[in-house]
Amino acid sequence: MDRGEAVGLIEAIGLATAIEAADAAVKSANVRLLGYEACRGDGMSTIKVVGDVGAVKAAVEAATAACAKGRGCWTSIVIARPSEGIEKLIYNRQTVGYTMPEEPETEADIEEKQEETEEE
């Protein structure tokens, strides 16, 4: 996530409602859909979008309105410039549609691979 980006979270009730909300969000403003995360209980799904603050606010409003067509929106929030400490809550393996970046190799990993190659 870029340091200046905002994140928008929309907690929709039901997967179909969440998909419609995500569609409305990305069509209404210049945001990127990070994915969705299935919540525990009540069939809720949290849609995650990122972009500049104004675009994220517009996308969250459109998504919240779209939720009204389905089972509804439990809550929504826009976080401008989230703290680095909460990035792991936003960017994680439970987010469907988001691929975790590979960890950069350490010098020890590189040396280990070289030793394995030399042994062969």
Side-chain angles (χ1 to χ4, degrees):
M1 176 166 64
D2 295 335
R3 290 297 300 153
E5 283 191 315
V7 63
L9 305 169
I10 305 101
E11 204 165 42
I13 304 169
L15 183 58
T17 302
I19 292 169
E20 186 166 358
D23 183 59
V26 297
K27 286 179 177 176
S28 69
N30 187 20
V31 294
R32 290 187 327 277
L33 176 64
L34 188 61
Y36 80 93
E37 187 171 331
C39 300
R40 307 236 188 265
D42 294 334
M44 289 189 279
S45 299
T46 302
I47 303 300
K48 301 176 183 182
V49 295
V50 292
D52 69 58
V53 179
V56 170
K57 284 182 180 180
V60 167
E61 287 177 15
T64 302
C67 284
K69 296 177 186 176
R71 292 181 55 203
C73 177
W74 186 257
T75 190
S76 63
I77 190 166
V78 174
I79 304 171
R81 297 185 320 268
S83 168
E84 281 184 43
I86 68 165
E87 282 186 354
K88 290 179 183 176
L89 298 174
I90 300 166
Y91 295 89
N92 58 53
R93 289 183 179 8
Q94 286 77 39
T95 303
V96 177
Y98 175 68
T99 304
M100 297 285 293
E102 291 187 25
E103 295 284 324
E105 289 186 318
T106 63
E107 286 185 37
D109 292 336
I110 294 169
E111 288 175 11
E112 185 178 317
K113 284 182 182 179
Q114 287 175 343
E115 289 173 7
E116 290 174 2
T117 305
E118 290 171 3
E119 289 175 4
E120 293 174 0

